[in-house]
Each structure stands twice: as structure tokens, then as C-alpha cells.
Amino acid sequence: MKKVLVLVLCCFLPFATLFACQKEYTGEYIEWGEKTKSNATELLADNNIPFEIKNGIIYIPEDAFDKAINCCS
């Protein structure tokens, strides 16, 4: 029984740590760029940066701006 408990904890703790350490972006959404002719939305999604598209323009949270520059340039 103890072996099962240890095994479950060893599998659960790394995942719990990863999910607990993810950044929550709370800033106001600002203009990032145009959706057309780029793969920016794919790069933002791959890097867990939330975005919205309004009238063909991509908007991201203001506090995610630096991370978006690093991942998409």
C-alpha cells in the first residue's frame, strides 16, 4: 500500500508544481499586431500567452508583452 501511495505522489507532485507555477496574465489587452500573413497566434498559443482577435488585430495582455516579444521575434 505504501508503494502505491509513493508512486502516486511521485507522479502527482511534478504536475502540480508545473501547473502552480504558470503565470496568470491580468493586464489590460493591448494591440500586438495583425493576424494576416503571420504565425503569431500559433507562437502565442505555444507559449501559453492569451490573446484575442478583434477586427483582424491581435491583442495580448500588457503584462505579457515582454514574453511575447521574446517568443515571436
Side-chain angles (χ1 to χ4, degrees):
M1 184 66 181
K2 287 183 180 180
K3 291 181 182 180
V4 173
L5 181 62
V6 170
L7 181 63
V8 169
L9 286 175
C10 288
C11 293
F12 175 74
L13 288 177
F15 289 112
T17 304
L18 287 175
F19 288 117
C21 295
Q22 288 186 347
K23 174 132 173 79
E24 291 280 336
Y25 296 107
T26 57
E28 178 183 338
Y29 277 72
I30 58 173
E31 185 177 334
W32 169 251
E34 294 183 17
K35 182 181 179 194
T36 58
K37 301 179 188 173
S38 74
N39 63 344
T41 55
E42 294 171 13
L43 292 171
L44 291 170
D46 290 345
N47 288 282
N48 299 320
I49 299 173
F51 62 90
E52 295 178 355
I53 299 174
K54 297 178 187 172
N55 298 326
I57 305 292
I58 301 171
Y59 292 85
I60 62 170
E62 188 174 18
D63 53 350
F65 196 79
D66 290 335
K67 186 175 178 184
I69 289 173
N70 289 336
C71 82
C72 298
S73 58

